[in-house]
Amino acid sequence: MFLKNNNDGSGFDLEALIFDLDGTLIDSIEVYYTMMETVFERLCWPDVPRDVMRKAIKDDGFEWGFMLPPGTGRSDEELIGEAREVIREVYPHLFEDTVHMVPGADQLLRELYEHRVKLGLVTSSLARFIEFKLIPLKKCGVHDLFHTVITLDDVEKRKPSGDPLLECARRIGENPGKCAYVGDTRGDMVAGKAAGMRTIGVLTGLDDYEALKAECPDMIVESVSELPERLGL
């Protein structure tokens, strides 16, 4: 498999593509804002602007300090616990009803599979949530094209550590140097490089072009729908 390098026109061989999920294959970023806004409404917390919510979303966890109301006289643990109860209630319904695959993502996965490219999925979601998060892929009939799916429960260190990607490559049975990681955040690019993989940034998720460019990925595309042409499929 041949992939053009944006910088100098040279190429490199790939045997496997490993994908992030949220903001990369599924258009799910909006649902996280909706969940938090539901928390604010249900618990009568002050609203938090979306640009602040964006700052709270990290590859290594969620910074609840941006969200918690001040002066309640209650511990952060109590407040976070209540918020998580609301999220657990609304999460499945919101995902099933409102989240779809990024346009062209299902066709990309089919083309890669037909070309015998090994496919992996690495997400920072907990295993108990993955059933709901894969619903958009199941609706398109592409959820079973992956050789393996790595969740937060499968490794000790989460992204931006390279460990989840290395575990994925191990289960696929491929050298990390023959893999590329596709994601929408700076943390994805950092993780891919830490794992010794090529990195491809997409602009359908949390981070913009300049944020991704700062991590010097091998390629940045508007969305995964561009990859068939860029990969020469």
Side-chain angles (χ1 to χ4, degrees):
M1 185 177 180
F2 184 81
L3 174 60
K4 293 180 180 178
N5 185 308
N6 276 356
N7 296 325
D8 58 10
S10 63
F12 46 87
D13 293 316
L14 293 175
E15 297 295 336
L17 257 70
I18 301 173
F19 292 88
D20 171 53
L21 185 57
D22 287 293
T24 301
L25 292 178
I26 59 175
D27 188 12
S28 57
I29 303 305
E30 180 70 21
V31 80
Y32 292 103
Y33 294 131
T34 302
M35 281 193 295
M36 286 310 305
E37 287 163 354
T38 303
V39 168
F40 303 149
E41 181 181 356
R42 294 271 189 94
L43 301 180
C44 298
W45 290 5
D47 289 337
V48 174
R50 288 193 171 192
D51 61 330
V52 176
M53 281 193 266
R54 165 64 189 90
K55 294 177 183 178
I57 302 172
K58 306 291 184 181
D59 286 291
D60 57 353
F62 187 77
E63 293 190 12
W64 280 99
F66 286 101
M67 304 292 110
L68 301 180
T72 64
R74 304 173 64 197
S75 69
D76 289 355
E77 289 74 16
E78 287 180 284
L79 295 170
I80 294 170
E82 287 188 351
R84 284 176 172 162
E85 284 296 321
V86 174
I87 290 171
R88 276 192 286 269
E89 178 187 342
V90 303
Y91 190 92
H93 169 74
L94 283 174
F95 243 88
E96 185 166 6
D97 292 347
T98 65
V99 177
H100 305 281
M101 291 198 75
V102 169
D106 57 334
Q107 182 62 30
L108 167 69
L109 295 175
R110 290 189 185 95
E111 290 189 42
L112 291 170
Y113 186 80
E114 290 170 1
H115 283 78
R116 299 185 179 181
V117 178
K118 297 176 182 178
L119 300 175
L121 189 65
V122 173
T123 172
S124 293
S125 298
L126 293 165
R128 66 176 181 268
F129 293 133
I130 199 65
E131 176 185 353
F132 303 111
K133 301 191 77 168
L134 289 179
I135 287 174
L137 281 70
K138 292 177 181 178
K139 288 180 177 179
C140 292
V142 295
H143 64 289
D144 57 354
L145 301 185
F146 294 94
H147 285 69
T148 190
V149 176
I150 302 298
T151 70
L152 192 57
D153 300 75
D154 293 310
V155 289
E156 291 186 7
K157 295 181 180 179
R158 64 193 298 165
K159 296 183 293 183
S161 165
D163 288 6
L165 280 66
L166 291 172
E167 177 62 16
C168 187
R170 185 189 70 79
R171 294 190 189 185
I172 287 175
E174 196 54 66
N175 185 316
K178 292 288 187 177
C179 301
Y181 188 51
V182 186
D184 66 300
T185 70
R186 294 183 65 171
D188 290 329
M189 303 301 98
V190 172
K193 289 180 179 295
M197 300 180 182
R198 301 290 182 170
T199 53
I200 302 173
V202 297
L203 300 175
T204 50
L206 286 170
D207 283 337
D208 61 17
Y209 180 85
E210 292 302 323
L212 293 176
K213 184 180 178 182
E215 301 303 334
C216 301
D218 294 286
M219 182 184 294
I220 300 175
V221 295
E222 287 293 330
S223 81
V224 293
S225 65
E226 291 185 13
L227 288 180
E229 179 179 356
R230 300 293 292 272
L231 296 173
L233 296 180

